Structure formats: structure tokens, C-alpha cells
Amino acid sequence: MQWYLKVLKNYVTFSGRARRKEFWMFNLINFLIVLALSVVELVLEIPAFLSGIYSLAIILPSLAVTVRRLHDIGKSGWWILISLVPLVGAIILLVFECLDSVPDNQYGPNPKSGAASDIAI
């Protein structure tokens, strides 16, 4: 949960770097929240209002953490636009998101190098 809160705290911070763990934990918790909201909507037989509002609220943090993840592998944040290419673009972006961090680069120091950054929110 700390990784999810860390991303929300950096709501629209597009600079810096995000490790794989931060990115994937945010996406996992985000998925579980959307799943829970969808189940509540199905049980109460209401339109997809709750999950829609949540999805709108989480767009900017999702974009920001993806850009920071791309920075972590040494790519420009503009590479996020490759996902607009049907099928192939999403696969390429997924591969980029799975790559390991590179040493210090123009986007900042390697976030893996400091153990204290794992715990700090």
C-alpha cells in the first residue's frame, strides 16, 4: 500500500524515476480497487459510476508513474505515446515497463541504490 500512496503523493510529478516495484505495485493495487468497485456496482445493480469516477481521478498519477518508469530505463517520457500504435505499441510499452533500472542517467540517480527510499513515502 505504501507504493500506491507514494505514487498518489507524487500526483503529477513527471520528473525523476520510478522503480519496477513502485510501478507494478501501484498498478496491482489500482486493479484491485477497480475490481472491488466493479463488484460493488454489480451487487448493488448501479451503473459504473464509482469505477468511472475513480478511473478519471487516477489518470494523472498513472501517466506520471509510467513516465517516471520510462525515465528509470533511460527512455524519454514521450515513449508512452507508442501505446497509441495498435497492439504492437502496447507490447513494446509493456516490455519497457518490465526492464530493469539503468545506472544513474539524465533523469536522476538510480532509485535502487538507496535502501532508505524503499520505505520513505
Side-chain angles (χ1 to χ4, degrees), residues 80-115:
I80 198 170
L81 296 177
I82 195 139
S83 63
L84 297 175
V85 176
L87 189 62
V88 175
I91 293 170
I92 292 171
L93 187 61
L94 179 66
V95 169
F96 284 167
E97 293 164 349
C98 293
L99 293 176
D100 195 12
S101 302
V102 296
D104 298 350
N105 62 22
Q106 70 268 27
Y107 302 107
N110 189 347
K112 282 186 173 181
S113 61

Side-chain angles (χ1 to χ4, degrees), residues 34-47:
V34 169
L35 184 66
L37 289 174
S38 298
V39 167
V40 167
E41 291 167 346
L42 284 174
V43 168
L44 297 177
E45 296 179 359
I46 59 175

Side-chain angles (χ1 to χ4, degrees), residues 3 6-7 18-26 68:
W3 296 106
K6 183 178 180 183
V7 170
R19 341 177 13 180
R20 277 186 298 189
K21 187 172 187 177
E22 178 182 345
F23 176 81
W24 288 112
M25 291 303 290
F26 170 77
R68 290 194 313 269

Side-chain angles (χ1 to χ4, degrees), residues 1 3-5 7-8 18-35 54 58-59 61-67 69 93-94 97-98:
M1 190 67 161
W3 296 106
Y4 182 79
L5 296 175
V7 170
L8 290 182
R19 341 177 13 180
R20 277 186 298 189
K21 187 172 187 177
E22 178 182 345
F23 176 81
W24 288 112
M25 291 303 290
F26 170 77
N27 281 308
L28 173 65
I29 293 170
N30 190 32
F31 172 76
L32 293 175
I33 291 171
V34 169
L35 184 66
Y54 174 76
I58 210 73
I59 284 175
S62 297
L63 288 172
V65 75
T66 304
V67 167
R69 179 71 201 121
L93 187 61
L94 179 66
E97 293 164 349
C98 293

